[in-house]
Amino acid sequence: MSPRTREELFQLVARVRNRWRLRMMLQGMGIVLGAGLIWLLLGGLVLQGLRFDPTAVTGFRIGGYLVLAAVLLRFILLPLLRRVTNEQIARYIEEHEPGMEALLVSAVEQANGSSQSAALAEQVVAQAISRIREADDGRRIEATRLKHAGAVAGAIAAVVLLALLVGPATLK
């Protein structure tokens, strides 16, 4: 198998992996912003009830930082640091792209050198590349989910910004 064909297959798989990571990050940002908004509203209400006692304010600040750190770690950092292999991405593409069946997983295995026949490996990889190209280089797989995650994160960010700018004085 030619190194160029092998490299092209891995580049296509890497593009899908990067779009998957981007979607995971956007979803995580939406969750982090949502948790921050809830903490902000809860803090405003509770602290107003406690008449902004300095101990309560300090406690809520520390609690807020801890909650923010935990949510950032769980929903952004851990998913992004997770190692995702080419085989896992190939299975992911096959699950979300009709007509791929087991072709892409076979192509990745062939490209990794587990083939007995170089001609067969070349043909399998070339066919997989062709099918991925038909799927708009894998962009079609994540397009809807990526748009949805971005819209949700943007909407939550707008609500947080609106709450801070126009909300009651206890939130400012």
Side-chain angles (χ1 to χ4, degrees):
M1 172 183 323
S2 73
R4 187 172 157 214
T5 306
R6 182 179 185 273
E7 189 63 32
E8 184 178 2
L9 175 67
F10 289 146
Q11 284 176 355
L12 290 169
V13 170
R15 279 190 207 135
V16 173
R17 179 186 295 113
N18 290 339
R19 289 177 65 81
W20 176 81
R21 287 185 190 276
L22 177 61
R23 179 179 59 89
M24 296 302 290
M25 186 185 69
L26 287 171
Q27 286 177 335
M29 284 176 52
I31 292 170
V32 168
L33 289 170
L37 177 63
I38 290 170
W39 190 260
L40 186 67
L41 294 172
L42 182 67
L45 292 172
V46 170
L47 290 175
Q48 188 175 18
L50 295 174
R51 301 200 194 291
F52 296 98
D53 179 53
T55 307
V57 171
T58 302
F60 249 87
R61 280 186 182 165
I62 292 170
Y65 294 138
L66 291 175
V67 167
L68 180 64
V71 173
L72 272 169
L73 179 69
R74 167 62 182 90
F75 292 103
I76 294 181
L77 293 178
L78 289 179
L80 292 179
L81 292 175
R82 191 175 117 202
R83 186 175 185 285
V84 184
T85 65
N86 288 336
E87 289 82 7
Q88 290 172 315
I89 293 296
R91 276 191 227 101
Y92 178 77
I93 293 169
E94 288 175 353
E95 289 172 4
H96 292 86
E97 186 60 38
M100 289 295 280
E101 298 165 8
L103 179 65
L104 191 57
V105 171
S106 297
V108 168
E109 288 172 356
Q110 301 293 326
N112 282 334
S114 64
S115 174
Q116 299 294 331
S117 166
L120 176 63
E122 185 78 33
Q123 188 177 14
V124 169
V125 170
Q127 189 177 7
I129 289 171
S130 170
R131 291 259 181 95
I132 293 175
R133 295 252 184 251
E134 289 172 10
D136 195 22
D137 288 348
R139 287 184 198 96
R140 189 169 66 194
I141 295 165
E142 282 294 322
T144 304
R145 290 180 171 170
L146 195 56
K147 287 177 188 172
H148 183 260
V152 168
I156 293 173
V159 169
V160 169
L161 187 62
L162 189 65
L164 292 173
L165 294 175
V166 182
T170 57
L171 296 181
K172 298 176 185 179

